[in-house]
Amino acid sequence: QVQLVESGGGVVQAGGSLRLSCSASGRIITLDRMGWYRQAPGKERELVATITSAQITNYADSVKGRFTISRDSAKNTVLLQMIKLEPEDSAVYYCNAFVLSGDYVRQNVWGQGTQVTVSS
């Protein structure tokens, strides 16, 4: 079974920075697209940023220029560097990955989430 574990959330003042990390473990043949999503109270989960195995990135308009997604394929990790954080960025951030697992099953896997709180 493939698992994603996030870390790096916390409380920060507006204008501050945080870096989220997500590590994949288990029987992994390939990690395809990886990404970060977020969900604020009372709102639907939304895309923040994604990155393919070819390092092609995609960002939500609301985070362009402030967030940077990257991945280390050798370590099966994906990072999200966040700067100039705003109170509107407060949410639970979820890591996501499309995985070809050891039994040659393609899965869409989610992490447990990490809380980011930005105070004004």
Side-chain angles (χ1 to χ4, degrees):
Q1 186 174 359
V2 177
Q3 291 185 325
L4 301 177
V5 178
E6 302 108 331
S7 62
V11 180
V12 65
Q13 289 188 334
S17 302
L18 281 174
R19 189 178 78 163
L20 304 182
S21 177
C22 172
S23 295
S25 63
R27 298 178 62 206
I28 299 169
I29 296 176
T30 60
L31 278 173
D32 301 317
R33 193 183 70 185
M34 301 184 75
W36 291 93
Y37 293 72
R38 67 187 182 187
Q39 187 168 19
K43 295 187 177 181
E44 293 187 353
R45 190 172 298 188
E46 63 177 6
L47 178 145
V48 176
T50 61
I51 184 167
T52 70
S53 56
Q55 305 285 340
I56 297 171
T57 59
N58 180 50
Y59 295 93
D61 287 343
S62 60
V63 307
K64 283 181 180 177
R66 300 188 299 120
F67 291 10
T68 303
I69 190 170
S70 61
R71 65 188 286 174
D72 184 335
S73 296
K75 296 180 179 180
N76 288 342
T77 61
V78 62
L79 305 175
L80 186 68
Q81 180 67 50
M82 306 183 291
I83 66 171
K84 300 179 182 178
L85 283 161
E86 304 168 352
E88 293 74 21
D89 295 316
S90 296
V92 177
Y93 283 69
Y94 296 91
C95 180
N96 173 258
F98 286 89
V99 180
L100 183 63
S101 64
D103 51 1
Y104 290 90
V105 174
R106 193 167 298 277
Q107 304 177 40
N108 183 15
V109 183
W110 292 89
Q112 81 286 356
T114 185
Q115 178 71 48
V116 171
T117 302
V118 184
S119 61
S120 58

